[in-house]
Amino acid sequence: MARVQLPASAAEAEAQLGSGSVVVSCTATWAAPCAQMNNVFAELSAEYTALTFVQLDADDFPDLCERFGVESVPYFLFLHDGKVTEAVIGANAPELTLKVKQNALTAAIHGDATVPAMPSQKQSLHARLSALTRRSPVMLFMKGSADAPRCGFSRQIVEILQARRASRLPLRETTRRADSF
């Protein structure tokens, strides 16, 4: 269910934009790309509840659009406590989706709300990673193996662990491709 707010007045719009983490869609009824992006915006609003989604018609709110520097539509603004933090200009659904995900995570970190729950498929990944990291007091995810590190960082970490005698701990090497999780 979409949660896009459509303010009826400038005062209502100001109130909605003034606090928390907000995504603003500046749109126009006469612009075809806006119609397509409105659907994307509505889907994102249903998925990312950590953010407030507000849609402004540029023709109905020219002062607000001018204040935010909107020169073309569609135009998406990301605000935190009334201040613009990012913008997406044009009908770029992948970029908008990425920015919404990033801002939802930021909102959750700063305590505005929570990130949507992980799908059940991801929960099994979480459970497997938790079990893996609890198997040993020292856990290192690295390129290569302890005997043959494949990058400078991995080599340095192995040397540090060996110097601190962490090598006495049981070594369990698991080589898996990233997509096998």
Side-chain angles (χ1 to χ4, degrees):
M1 181 172 121
R3 302 178 320 103
V4 177
Q5 297 179 17
L6 304 167
S9 68
E12 185 180 343
E14 289 284 353
Q16 292 170 346
L17 304 179
S19 65
S21 296
V22 183
V23 184
V24 181
S25 171
C26 298
T27 185
T29 55
W30 48 264
C34 290
Q36 295 168 339
M37 292 304 291
N38 288 346
N39 293 333
V40 173
F41 194 70
E43 288 177 26
L44 291 170
S45 74
E47 187 174 347
Y48 295 95
T49 58
L51 303 171
T52 301
F53 289 78
V54 178
Q55 186 170 320
L56 300 176
D57 189 303
D59 294 328
D60 295 338
F61 297 96
D63 293 338
L64 277 175
C65 290
E66 185 177 329
R67 184 174 104 201
F68 291 121
V70 176
E71 295 180 357
S72 64
V73 291
Y75 195 103
F76 302 92
L77 297 161
F78 294 85
L79 289 84
H80 185 73
D81 291 333
K83 295 182 176 86
V84 176
T85 58
E86 295 185 85
V88 174
I89 302 168
N92 188 337
E95 185 180 1
L96 176 63
T97 302
L98 176 64
K99 296 286 186 196
V100 166
K101 286 179 184 178
Q102 291 170 343
N103 279 272
L105 181 58
T106 301
I109 289 170
H110 290 287
D112 290 346
T114 58
V115 175
M118 295 186 294
S120 60
Q121 176 184 4
K122 297 284 186 184
Q123 288 174 345
S124 63
L125 171 63
H126 185 275
R128 287 185 283 171
L129 287 174
S130 292
L132 179 64
T133 56
R134 289 187 193 126
R135 286 190 348 196
S136 181
V138 176
M139 178 65 55
L140 173 63
F141 293 92
M142 60 180 277
K143 292 181 183 176
S145 67
D147 296 328
R150 294 193 316 189
C151 73
F153 174 78
S154 296
R155 191 172 8 271
Q156 287 177 341
I157 293 297
V158 168
E159 289 171 5
I160 290 169
L161 289 173
Q162 287 173 343
R164 297 197 179 260
R165 304 206 180 261
S167 61
R168 283 195 260 168
L169 299 172
L171 178 63
R172 294 185 186 105
E173 286 190 29
T174 304
T175 52
R176 284 191 147 166
R177 292 183 358 193
D179 61 353
S180 66
F181 283 100

